[in-house]
Amino acid sequence: TEQTGCSPEELLQWFKQYAPKQPKKNTSDNDENNNDNKKKIPYIVFVGQLSYKTTLQSLRDHFLSILSPASFPNHDASLLKIRLLTDPKTKTSRGMAFVELPTPELMYESLKLHLTHLDGRRINVERSSGGGKHSSLKKSKIQTFREKQSDYISKTVDGIIESFVKNGEVEEEELDDGVRGLCKRHSVQVVE
């Protein structure tokens, strides 16, 4: 309302009048056929800084260490799809992968693997924006995702530190800005 100067009722009326008409859905007794025709929204994370020795299986195991098979639809962990980018000549890992998850909840849960260790490397796990390789929109989305993820980690680490101070396990003076900054560069699991 603030940006348009219109009331919600006026906006709804405008939408009904000018919105493109959606084709009517074919209703049949067989819902399974209708579900197959729906466009699937991919929930993809980018995994970077992988060791060149990382395999599909080791990456799958790392993801399943935090994502329980029971949390997948129909308890089917095979719905976790991984595309490990490899060098076309040597067939070895290029140090990055894309992981597709079936639900947004699993995607957000997998972000907890950001800055964890796998095969001797500290890996990055970030939301993927999809789209063209060099589009400015994609770069903008990725930057926004990174900022949100960094803010989340920062707030979570601050909460962990506050709980330690509150419980008397750590004195407030023991943790200067350098220590807090160091904690924020590690995964939440490491800080805990």
Side-chain angles (χ1 to χ4, degrees):
T1 306
E2 293 174 14
Q3 293 177 355
T4 63
C6 298
S7 71
E9 292 80 21
E10 290 173 313
L11 288 173
L12 185 58
Q13 182 65 26
W14 177 90
F15 181 77
K16 287 178 181 178
Q17 184 177 357
Y18 294 105
K21 301 294 182 203
Q22 299 292 327
K24 290 187 177 186
K25 293 183 180 180
N26 182 13
T27 57
S28 69
D29 294 332
N30 191 352
D31 286 337
E32 290 178 21
N33 290 339
N34 288 340
N35 288 339
D36 290 341
N37 293 333
K38 289 182 182 176
K39 187 175 181 181
K40 183 181 170 207
I41 299 172
Y43 302 104
I44 300 173
V45 294
F46 171 78
V47 184
Q49 299 297 319
L50 292 169
S51 166
Y52 295 127
K53 295 177 183 175
T54 298
T55 63
L56 279 172
Q57 189 59 47
S58 65
L59 187 56
R60 176 179 297 283
D61 292 343
H62 192 64
F63 268 77
L64 291 177
S65 71
I66 195 161
L67 305 173
S68 82
S71 60
F72 284 84
N74 300 324
H75 305 290
D76 186 5
S78 69
L79 294 173
L80 178 72
K81 296 177 184 168
I82 300 174
R83 186 168 58 109
L84 185 66
L85 303 183
T86 57
D87 184 285
K89 293 178 184 174
T90 63
K91 305 294 184 210
T92 58
S93 169
R94 289 178 45 206
M96 58 189 107
F98 290 95
V99 178
E100 184 175 340
L101 300 134
T103 66
E105 293 82 10
L106 288 170
M107 180 186 67
Y108 285 108
E109 189 70 19
S110 71
L111 293 176
K112 291 181 180 178
L113 292 171
H114 185 60
L115 301 178
T116 59
H117 288 83
L118 174 64
D119 295 333
R121 300 286 304 264
R122 191 171 80 169
I123 65 171
N124 294 326
V125 179
E126 301 174 336
R127 282 181 63 188
S128 174
S129 69
K133 288 183 179 180
H134 303 292
S135 78
S136 59
L137 179 60
K138 179 178 180 174
K139 289 178 183 177
S140 171
K141 281 184 180 179
I142 290 172
Q143 184 62 34
T144 301
F145 293 157
R146 285 181 179 159
E147 288 171 3
K148 286 181 179 179
Q149 189 169 356
S150 179
D151 287 345
Y152 172 77
I153 290 171
S154 180
K155 289 176 184 175
T156 303
V157 168
D158 286 341
I160 291 169
I161 291 172
E162 285 177 29
S163 71
F164 280 122
V165 170
K166 184 179 176 183
N167 294 337
E169 298 174 48
V170 175
E171 295 293 324
E172 183 72 38
E173 305 81 44
E174 290 181 77
L175 304 174
D176 63 5
D177 290 339
V179 172
R180 289 176 185 265
L182 180 65
C183 289
K184 291 176 183 181
R185 289 193 301 268
H186 291 281
S187 73
V188 172
Q189 294 154 329
V190 170
V191 174
E192 287 178 331

